[in-house]
Amino acid sequence: MSLSESTKAKLKIAKERHGVSPELLARVKETNRIHRAILEAVATEAKSVPDIAAATSLPSEVVFWNVNALRKYNKLVDVKKSGDFWLYQKK
Amino acid sequence: MKAHTLVIGAGIAGLQAALDLAEQGRQVVLVEKNPSIGGRMISLSKVYPTLDCASCITTPRMASVAHHPLIHTLTYTEVLGVAKNEDGTFRAHLRKKPRYIEEDKCIGCKRCEEVCPVYIRDDFEHQLGAKKAISIPFTNAIPQFPVLEPQSCTWCGACANACPVDCIDFTQESRDLFVEVDAVLLATGFQLTPIDAKAQYGGGKLRNVISSLQGERLLAPHGPYGRVLRPSDGKVPDSIAFVQCAGSRDASLGVPYCSRVCCMYAIKQAMLLSGSLPTADITIYYMDIRAFGKGYEAFYQNAKAMGINFVKAKVGRIREIEDGNLALRIERQEGTAQPEEAQHDLVILSLGLTPQWNPGQLAWEVKTASDGFVATPGAPLDPAATTQDGVFACGTATGPKDIVDSIMEAGNAATEVGKRLEIRAPMVPGGAS
């Protein structure tokens, strides 16, 4: 389904009214990049947050926050516990 | 719009007071600045000393309020002003903020949230979890309407494209409302002292030092991680410390008073953690344990019997060491006075309670006490009356107190409001006033 003409017009007005900061766009791009990297890391094998961090060269707290964002929106699941950590895998 | 009473704040005290007034046959306008009613209590895991589920107590009240024919609930609405009229009534100026959806069309299906590409930090989860730029505030929010945050929206239109009922309105604006009432009841609640207020506790920069409300979310069934894990790396914590009086009884923070609830919520969280993580070491560093309510001392003794380690000591400093672990410099107040260092995986700061809202910003005669909470000069005999005739207050708007006391005070305040209304607008037997 595509947007109706009236919705497109409202979107244009909202965009002019509120603007979109370059920082926001950069943040969205960066989040997308992080999510792709995490999902790629856990595509074939369940991994812990430190293992995903090592595989993606991302800080562990960034990985953990985004792992939970992806878990909340059903992109990955926690499968089992291994030692002190849970392992996450692409859904 | 006209009503008998304006209740400001839809936390547990505001909900209870609104319900009690409505049950008296009084028309209530209930205003809440957040997108959902429920206040702080709906975000808690369990309550002490019974360990009942907080949601199970709050949700039925939320539903009763939402469906009561005499309660008009306005969420996502701010109070801009309250003026007293010459006849003793009040005229409140409210502003309903835009959700950017048409509430009469929305079916709460969450399709907009699913397709939104922008992930942001979730205030309901105290920044621990994620939500989207358009999202329903939390699982059992009432009403179940999403809110679009314009500062985080890229205006891509994905939400509108996915909406099955065409309810997204990108051009929605705030709407001003005016309410005429006979009485006003303040139930504006509390906030925690800032986690970054004390540089010696890391100034909010240590990844595994969290606030007590973040601790509640870790323990909640629908919490950000689904279980108790620490934020830096998702490790299951094996050694957890609570630091008491981390934001109250501290003149340097401007909070010299005791927040009254921290001892008990820390004991409760420690017991719940002990249940979730049976092998973890849990330590509470405290100055005094203030277990003053009914059943509270037994609750405290049960925690000790469960193996919670109570250490009478002041924590002087917290610093991060390797792997995100934390070193606490402590000075015991019993036995040796030599400073010691203790290591833990996760630290929960028992932050103090301060007022959520300052009524002084409105042009009226409601005064605050020296601690910033709403002054109730008639307490304890008349605890709901403020310094302005016709304006009442209850719950943590008047000072730190727990849920039991807040509910009890709300009931009392509803009675006091009812007494005023009985003089100004007497009930007609068998009908409205």
Side-chain angles (χ1 to χ4, degrees), chain A residues 25-37:
Chain A
L25 290 176
R27 206 172 67 222
V28 173
K29 274 190 179 176
E30 177 63 2
T31 304
N32 289 341
R33 186 187 71 79
I34 291 168
H35 286 186
R36 276 197 304 273

Side-chain angles (χ1 to χ4, degrees), chain B residues 171-404:
Chain B
T171 57
Q172 198 171 58
E173 294 184 12
S174 59
R175 189 161 53 95
D176 283 7
L177 303 162
F178 294 90
V179 186
E180 301 277 347
V181 291
D182 293 296
V184 178
L185 178 53
L186 304 176
T188 45
F190 73 92
Q191 60 184 0
L192 291 182
T193 51
I195 196 168
D196 58 359
K198 282 179 88 78
Q200 55 271 50
Y201 292 168
K205 295 194 177 82
L206 303 181
R207 298 171 297 171
N208 292 320
V209 175
I210 63 172
S211 75
S212 40
L213 284 175
Q214 287 178 316
E216 291 287 339
R217 294 309 303 155
L218 287 192
L219 288 160
H222 299 291
Y225 310 148
R227 52 180 55 84
V228 180
L229 304 171
R230 67 178 192 175
S232 73
D233 55 6
K235 183 185 174 192
V236 178
D238 192 44
S239 174
I240 303 163
F242 288 83
V243 177
Q244 298 306 103
C245 302
S248 44
R249 301 175 74 189
D250 188 338
S252 70
L253 294 178
V255 187
Y257 52 84
C258 168
S259 288
R260 292 172 59 95
V261 293
C262 316
C263 288
M264 293 305 294
Y265 72 58
I267 294 171
K268 176 200 73 178
Q269 289 188 15
M271 288 171 88
L272 295 173
L273 284 167
S274 178
S276 297
L277 310 168
T279 59
D281 295 322
I282 301 167
T283 305
I284 297 181
Y285 296 103
Y286 70 98
M287 291 206 284
D288 314 283
I289 292 294
R290 296 186 169 179
F292 51 82
K294 185 181 178 184
Y296 292 5
E297 178 65 20
F299 193 70
Y300 169 40
Q301 295 303 332
N302 281 348
K304 286 207 279 193
M306 282 174 72
I308 310 297
N309 186 23
F310 286 83
V311 177
K312 189 171 173 65
K314 189 69 187 158
V315 175
R317 193 177 63 218
I318 305 173
R319 64 190 173 86
E320 192 168 304
I321 51 177
E322 73 280 0
D323 293 333
N325 292 341
L326 300 153
L328 278 62
R329 191 175 175 81
I330 65 165
E331 191 175 312
R332 290 180 186 265
Q333 295 176 326
E334 285 175 343
T336 174
Q338 288 296 313
E340 298 171 32
E341 194 162 272
Q343 292 189 13
H344 298 281
D345 294 339
L346 178 69
V347 169
I348 301 176
L349 298 181
S350 290
L351 300 174
L353 272 55
T354 58
Q356 169 89 310
W357 185 66
N358 178 8
Q361 64 192 270
L362 305 184
W364 59 358
E365 293 162 24
V366 179
K367 302 275 187 277
T368 52
S370 58
D371 56 12
F373 290 95
V374 176
T376 50
L381 295 177
D382 189 7
T386 69
T387 49
Q388 176 146 26
D389 182 46
V391 180
F392 301 83
C394 64
T396 49
T398 64
K401 60 182 66 72
D402 61 23
I403 291 162
V404 175

Side-chain angles (χ1 to χ4, degrees), chain A residues 1 60-61 72-73 78 84, chain B residues 113 130 161 207 227 232 236:
Chain A
M1 198 175 88
S60 60
E61 65 268 28
K72 178 175 177 179
Y73 290 101
D78 42 6
D84 289 336
Chain B
E113 182 173 346
N161 208 14
R207 298 171 297 171
R227 52 180 55 84
S232 73
V236 178

Side-chain angles (χ1 to χ4, degrees), chain A residues 1-4 6-21 24-25 27-28 31-32 35 48-50 59-66 68-73 75 78 81 83-86 88, chain B residues 100 102 113-114 117-122 127-132 134-135 150-157 160-163 166 168-173 207 223-227 229-236 238:
Chain A
M1 198 175 88
S2 60
L3 293 175
S4 67
S6 69
T7 304
K8 281 181 189 169
K10 284 185 169 183
L11 260 178
K12 192 171 173 230
I13 293 168
K15 208 167 184 174
E16 285 168 4
R17 189 179 287 168
H18 300 283
V20 183
S21 71
L24 172 62
L25 290 176
R27 206 172 67 222
V28 173
T31 304
N32 289 341
H35 286 186
S48 67
V49 169
S60 60
E61 65 268 28
V62 172
V63 169
F64 187 49
W65 189 84
N66 283 284
N68 282 294
L70 291 165
R71 193 178 63 82
K72 178 175 177 179
Y73 290 101
K75 305 264 175 65
D78 42 6
K81 196 173 162 222
D84 289 336
F85 294 92
W86 280 82
Y88 301 89
Chain B
Y100 299 94
E102 293 177 49
E113 182 173 346
E114 286 164 15
V118 184
Y119 291 79
I120 57 176
R121 291 195 178 261
D122 189 349
Q127 319 301 317
L128 293 178
K131 65 175 184 177
K132 300 284 189 75
I134 182 166
S135 57
Q151 73 279 10
S152 300
C153 184
T154 59
W155 310 106
C156 66
N161 208 14
C163 181
D166 196 23
I168 311 288
D169 180 359
F170 296 111
T171 57
Q172 198 171 58
E173 294 184 12
R207 298 171 297 171
Y225 310 148
R227 52 180 55 84
L229 304 171
R230 67 178 192 175
S232 73
D233 55 6
K235 183 185 174 192
V236 178
D238 192 44

